[in-house]
Amino acid sequence: MTITDRILGVALQHPVSNWQVINIEGEPIEVLPIAVGQQVFCSDGHPGWITHLLPNTDGSIGALVIQTRGWWRRKVVIPIDRVNHMDGADVYLSVTKNDLKKLPTYRPDHVLVAAVMQALWEDTLLRRTEYRQIHVEAKNGIAYLYGYVSSSSMRAGAEKAAYNADGVWKVVNHVAIDSEMQLSVSQAIANDPRTRNARIFVGVHNGFVTLTGLAPGLAARSAAQEQAAAIPRVRGVLNSIRVPGVEIDSENPRALQPVIGATIYATDIIIGSVDKVIVNPKNRLVTAVISNTVFPDSDQMGSNWLWNEHHYAKRSLIIPIEAVRRLTSTSIFLKEKGEVVADFNDFDAALYLPAPEDWEPPYPYKHTDILLAGHTETAH
């Protein structure tokens, strides 16, 4: 992860010297007594007053927003290190009024997300390659970039493009690099004595690792998958390593990641939405969806159940990932009709495990979004 600030080329004249020490639950901390409503002065005049205080990534105040006056009236984001000193309730900056024109405009978070996405789109190289793999969030003028790109130059390009969005004063870059991940996985497998006699090839695309080649036995095959799944930021491992004399299920696992809250469609009706997903910790792939569904009572099911008046019952259902035909960012389309889906197993919390706090869920999920597959396989 990298964090960079917008550079103005303006030197700080003097360090802020009016820190105050306060006690919170016996622990003394230093704070800068800046508040909304205070008047702000530059070295050459009075540009405006404070309207917002923007927290930094660690919770401290990283920037302030002032409402400027005059014909170029706007809300300007000013990094806290541009504060020279305070005199009573007045805040004095180490920049001129003209310097404020170079600083970003304050924008609400949702507007800033759209502005950053537009800036990424306007970068021709990103638009033709990695644009759809980058996710943007924004908070208090800080743009957070997530996702996966192919190389370090593409990662740097995404960060540079984000700064082109007016309103961004800091970028926190969480974007992972496929080529670096590929090297890490390859080195981990090569250093494992269990895979010494294996010939394994590693590919990585958008955070998903593909393993191919030949292993002398199932233990070596499993060891390669184990090493790949242990690398930070890996979304999932697709293991296609062959073992001589051993028949392995040829059906490739599916690298599908349903979005939490997405609407679920059978081929004939809407049946509910995604509540959580089940993840196999051995390969970090989603094996099933836990859905909040609504079906007619079972005794009313029949060939014409869609058209009859009947009572509905809420169910928490396990939908295997194999039943999914297609995904979008807002929807899941299944292969089966509602009648068939109604026969899937109900969710039983005793069969699944919560993810440990020290285990990183596959992107883009959080701990609250997933459960881990236990000793029982999902089935229907």
Side-chain angles (χ1 to χ4, degrees):
M1 179 188 74
T2 61
I3 304 176
T4 55
D5 292 336
R6 184 182 294 271
I7 303 300
L8 292 179
V10 179
L12 187 65
Q13 295 177 4
H14 302 287
V16 174
S17 58
N18 65 325
W19 294 95
Q20 294 181 349
V21 177
I22 64 174
N23 291 324
I24 296 181
E25 297 181 355
E27 294 293 332
I29 62 172
E30 293 183 339
V31 298
L32 187 63
I34 292 180
V36 171
Q38 289 178 321
Q39 299 298 313
V40 175
F41 294 86
C42 292
S43 58
D44 57 352
H46 174 220
W49 60 92
I50 299 175
T51 62
H52 297 76
L53 298 176
L54 304 182
N56 212 329
T57 51
D58 62 358
S60 62
I61 299 301
L64 51 91
V65 178
I66 70 169
Q67 175 67 66
T68 60
R69 307 181 304 165
W71 64 271
W72 59 288
R73 181 181 177 90
R74 68 187 180 106
K75 290 183 177 179
V76 182
V77 179
I78 302 176
I80 200 67
D81 62 5
R82 268 58 184 182
V83 175
N84 184 297
H85 68 281
M86 294 182 62
D87 184 4
D90 297 331
V91 178
Y92 290 82
L93 306 179
S94 60
V95 296
T96 66
K97 289 194 290 185
N98 190 59
D99 290 327
L100 298 182
K101 298 177 183 179
K102 307 173 187 177
L103 288 163
T105 302
Y106 173 72
R107 300 181 185 279
D109 294 341
H110 69 282
V111 176
L112 193 57
V113 169
V116 173
M117 292 302 297
Q118 180 64 29
L120 295 174
W121 175 259
E122 290 174 355
D123 185 295
T124 304
L125 184 57
L126 286 172
R127 182 170 68 245
R128 293 177 176 176
T129 54
E130 318 282 5
Y131 170 78
R132 291 177 178 80
Q133 313 304 334
I134 300 174
H135 174 68
V136 178
E137 295 181 6
K139 188 173 183 180
N140 298 321
I142 303 175
Y144 297 84
L145 305 182
Y146 301 90
Y148 296 81
V149 295
S150 58
S151 65
S152 57
S153 61
M154 296 301 295
R155 185 178 190 268
E159 184 172 310
K160 181 179 179 181
Y163 272 124
N164 290 331
D166 187 23
V168 173
W169 68 276
K170 179 175 288 189
V171 173
V172 179
N173 195 343
H174 291 287
V175 173
I177 302 170
D178 283 343
S179 58
E180 293 182 358
M181 190 177 298
Q182 181 180 20
L183 178 61
S184 297
V185 173
S186 299
Q187 290 176 338
I189 293 175
N191 293 332
D192 192 321
R194 296 172 294 176
T195 61
R196 184 169 301 153
N197 297 320
R199 188 180 182 186
I200 298 171
F201 303 94
V202 178
V204 180
H205 178 67
N206 198 20
F208 288 101
V209 176
T210 301
L211 302 179
T212 57
L214 194 65
L218 291 176
R221 184 179 189 272
S222 297
Q225 177 176 291
E226 176 186 324
Q227 291 293 350
I231 298 300
R233 308 296 296 277
V234 166
R235 298 176 75 179
V237 181
L238 306 173
N239 192 349
S240 298
I241 299 172
R242 294 177 292 112
V243 177
V246 178
E247 185 176 348
I248 300 173
D249 188 357
S250 59
E251 183 178 353
N252 292 326
R254 306 183 71 189
L256 298 180
Q257 293 184 312
V259 176
I260 304 300
T263 303
I264 303 174
Y265 296 84
T267 58
D268 52 353
I269 58 169
I270 299 174
I271 64 169
S273 61
V274 177
D275 182 40
K276 294 179 184 291
V277 294
I278 305 297
V279 173
N280 181 353
K282 295 181 179 180
N283 58 18
R284 300 176 63 82
L285 296 174
V286 174
T287 62
V289 170
I290 302 175
S291 66
N292 293 320
T293 58
V294 178
F295 285 108
D297 289 337
S298 57
D299 58 354
Q300 298 179 3
M301 298 289 283
S303 59
N304 61 345
W305 65 281
L306 286 175
W307 311 107
N308 293 334
E309 284 192 32
H310 38 244
H311 299 286
Y312 287 87
K314 294 182 179 180
R315 296 173 57 191
S316 184
L317 208 63
I318 293 291
I319 300 178
I321 203 68
E322 293 81 9
V324 176
R325 174 168 55 90
R326 185 169 64 89
L327 293 180
T328 71
S329 60
T330 59
S331 305
I332 297 180
F333 299 91
L334 304 181
K335 300 175 182 178
E336 310 291 350
K337 291 185 176 182
E339 284 185 287
V340 176
V341 177
D343 289 332
F344 287 179
N345 288 342
D346 289 309
F347 169 64
D348 183 352
L351 302 180
Y352 303 96
L353 306 171
E357 288 298 324
D358 59 351
W359 187 80
E360 181 182 1
Y363 173 86
Y365 298 119
K366 300 178 177 62
H367 280 83
T368 53
D369 297 332
I370 69 172
L371 291 174
L372 301 183
H375 60 278
T376 303
E377 296 292 332
T378 56
H380 69 278

